Amino acid sequence: MGYQSRLPGGVWLLLGALSTFGMLGIGFLVGNSGSTRSTLTPVLAFAFATVITLIAVLDRPDGHVAISQQPLLDLRAYLATHGD
């Protein structure tokens, strides 16, 4: 069950491509502005890396982060009693 609910490879590929193009676009814009390296470039790189790492950690059922399933169980119980 845990393997079936993981993100497909295509989603990971798209996420990587969007991150790469985003970083290249920002680099191009900073390079075109004629200024030296922006002080926010490392912050942007850290933000991209953090988001991708967070998605990877939350996608693994045996990861280091345990998320309670209780809200989903409560929703299932509510829908079972108040459903159509």
Side-chain angles (χ1 to χ4, degrees):
M1 182 67 174
Y3 181 74
Q4 292 176 349
S5 64
R6 295 186 66 193
L7 290 176
V11 173
W12 283 112
L13 182 66
L14 182 62
L15 181 63
L18 287 174
S19 297
T20 302
F21 288 133
M23 294 296 286
L24 288 173
I26 293 295
F28 181 75
L29 289 174
V30 168
N32 261 356
S33 67
S35 64
T36 58
R37 190 178 107 176
S38 173
T39 57
L40 291 179
T41 303
V43 174
L44 180 66
F46 180 74
F48 273 102
T50 302
V51 167
I52 291 173
T53 303
L54 181 64
I55 292 171
V57 166
L58 292 176
D59 185 46
R60 299 186 65 81
D62 59 343
H64 300 292
V65 178
I67 299 173
S68 172
Q69 298 297 311
Q70 191 58 46
L72 292 175
L73 295 173
D74 294 342
L75 177 62
R76 183 190 316 177
Y78 175 81
L79 290 176
T81 58
H82 294 91
D84 292 314

